[in-house]
């Protein structure tokens, strides 16, 4: 379970990324198995320089780990759902966090809004999802859940190294035009 209590430490590490670091991360997020020679070629560095950059990115925490992204269907988990969990009191209790032991649970988030916790789960079937929900309801403090079963996924990706340089100002925030 990854906590977000250290978010400020990670944010300062992120601000130290230069454009070359972001190029390297962009290549690795697409294919972490690329050789250092190929990585260097793609970003304009020598293989040893690319290797040193990757080591530094790992040491700084910008690269937390290298992992394989598996196809959910290949492991029999074709049903994706998001579950909002309402609790009495603060949601992050040891009893509720124990749900992370279930391999169907991919993410657990504490959220602001109309729920306390948000779970991302992948299950083999609606029956398996129902079993997970039953376990949630057996958890002390859980008052209600709302499940959202995904019908189609149009974009699913890991965090991207790029940053949008500027966002348009919403119309509501613009000064009124004089006619």
């Amino acid at each position: 379970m990854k906590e977000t209590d250290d978010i400020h430490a990670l944010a300062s590490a992120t601000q130290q990324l230069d454009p070359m670091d972001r190029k390297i991360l962009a290549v690795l997020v697409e294919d972490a198995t690329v050789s250092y020679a190929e990585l260097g070629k793609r970003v304009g560095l020598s293989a040893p320089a690319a290797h040193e950059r990757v080591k530094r990115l790992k040491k700084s925490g910008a690269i937390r780990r290298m992992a394989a992204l598996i196809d959910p269907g290949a492991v029999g988990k074709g049903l994706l759902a998001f579950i909002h969990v309402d609790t009495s009191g603060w949601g992050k209790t040891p009893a509720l966090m124990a749900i992370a032991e279930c391999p169907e649970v991919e993410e657990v988030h504490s959220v602001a809004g109309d729920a306390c916790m948000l779970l991302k789960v992948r299950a083999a079937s609606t029956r398996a999802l129902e079993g997970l929900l039953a376990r949630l309801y057996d958890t002390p403090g859980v008052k209600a859940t709302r499940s959202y079963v995904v019908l189609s996924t149009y974009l699913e990706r890991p965090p991207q190294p790029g940053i949008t340089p500027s966002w348009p100002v919403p119309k509501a925030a613009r000064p009124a035009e004089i006619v």
Side-chain angles (χ1 to χ4, degrees):
M1 291 176 283
K2 173 70 176 145
E3 293 190 29
T4 57
D5 297 338
D6 60 350
I7 193 129
H8 296 295
L10 291 175
S12 64
T14 303
Q15 293 173 356
Q16 297 172 0
L17 295 178
D18 65 20
M20 182 57 69
D21 291 335
R22 291 183 187 281
K23 285 182 185 178
I24 290 169
L25 291 172
V27 172
L28 292 177
V29 80
E30 292 300 320
D31 182 5
T33 65
V34 67
S35 69
Y36 291 117
E38 180 61 25
L39 175 61
K41 182 178 168 185
R42 290 189 196 177
V43 300
L45 293 175
S46 67
H51 184 223
E52 286 303 313
R53 287 272 188 151
V54 171
K55 284 190 341 190
R56 185 173 50 80
L57 290 166
K58 287 179 179 178
K59 186 176 179 182
S60 75
I63 296 176
R64 294 191 316 215
R65 68 175 187 252
M66 303 291 213
L69 296 176
I70 60 175
D71 180 83
V75 293
K77 294 182 181 175
L79 180 71
L80 173 60
F82 293 89
I83 303 170
H84 291 197
V85 181
D86 294 333
T87 62
S88 55
W90 190 50
K92 185 184 167 190
T93 63
L96 181 56
M97 295 308 292
I99 197 72
E101 296 168 3
C102 298
E104 290 79 11
V105 177
E106 292 187 357
E107 298 175 11
V108 179
H109 304 276
S110 176
V111 296
D114 65 349
C116 299
M117 303 293 281
L118 174 65
L119 309 181
K120 178 182 178 183
V121 302
R122 287 190 196 271
S125 63
T126 55
R127 176 85 174 113
L129 178 60
E130 186 176 21
L132 181 68
L133 291 169
R135 178 165 173 187
L136 276 170
Y137 275 105
D138 285 343
T139 304
V142 171
K143 295 189 318 183
T145 65
R146 284 176 303 289
S147 300
Y148 301 88
V149 175
V150 174
L151 301 176
S152 298
T153 298
Y154 300 111
L155 176 66
E156 183 176 49
R157 63 182 179 195
Q160 301 295 298
I163 295 177
T164 302
S166 66
W167 294 97
V169 177
K171 290 181 181 182
R174 294 180 191 159
E177 294 181 34
I178 300 174
V179 181

